[in-house]
Amino acid sequence: MTVSFFTGVVSTLGMVLHEFPEGIITYVLLLRSGFGDRKALVLALVSAAATTPLGTLMSYGWISNIDKPFLGNLMAGSAGALFYVGATHLLPMAEREPRKFSLIVLGGGIATALGITMGAH
């Protein structure tokens, strides 16, 4: 199965944008678990840098051989899981944080999503 170059670029952009907050979350969790600043940073960078390429290599053979409707269902399920985690776990935590830049970051996220969506058409 092949997809367009644009789909590859959008997917790559999504993965890169996903890795930054994932790395920050991993770093904070390691800090709160008792790791020192330097060790938490190194472990967060290694885990973020290793898991995505490794997961891609391990799943490529399977993903490239499934039909498009099933792949679409898998992607929809993945999106639903991300929405669930965001709505039930991350939003309540975010509401407790200082709101100095919250509106700017929210606007940036919305602008990014709109840019990707509009670019797909």
Side-chain angles (χ1 to χ4, degrees):
M1 172 174 63
T2 60
V3 293
S4 69
F5 178 77
F6 178 76
T7 302
V9 170
V10 170
S11 297
T12 301
L13 179 62
M15 288 302 296
V16 169
L17 291 174
H18 166 78
E19 288 302 321
F20 287 112
E22 180 184 334
I24 292 168
I25 291 167
T26 304
Y27 173 73
V28 169
L29 289 173
L30 289 168
L31 281 178
R32 291 189 178 178
S33 296
F35 288 88
D37 286 347
R38 185 181 203 115
K39 190 169 187 176
L41 179 64
V42 169
L43 289 173
L45 287 174
V46 168
S47 70
T51 56
T52 300
L54 185 61
T56 302
L57 291 173
M58 290 175 60
S59 65
Y60 178 76
W62 181 68
I63 297 260
S64 62
N65 291 320
I66 62 176
D67 61 346
K68 288 182 182 183
F70 185 60
L71 181 59
N73 289 334
L74 289 174
M75 293 176 80
S78 176
L82 287 172
F83 281 127
Y84 170 78
V85 169
T88 60
H89 299 290
L90 300 178
L91 282 178
M93 291 174 66
E95 288 178 351
R96 289 182 277 200
E97 295 297 319
R99 298 174 187 210
K100 185 174 183 180
F101 296 108
S102 297
L103 190 57
I104 295 169
V105 172
L106 176 64
I110 291 170
T112 301
L114 284 174
I116 290 171
T117 303
M118 299 306 265
H121 288 67

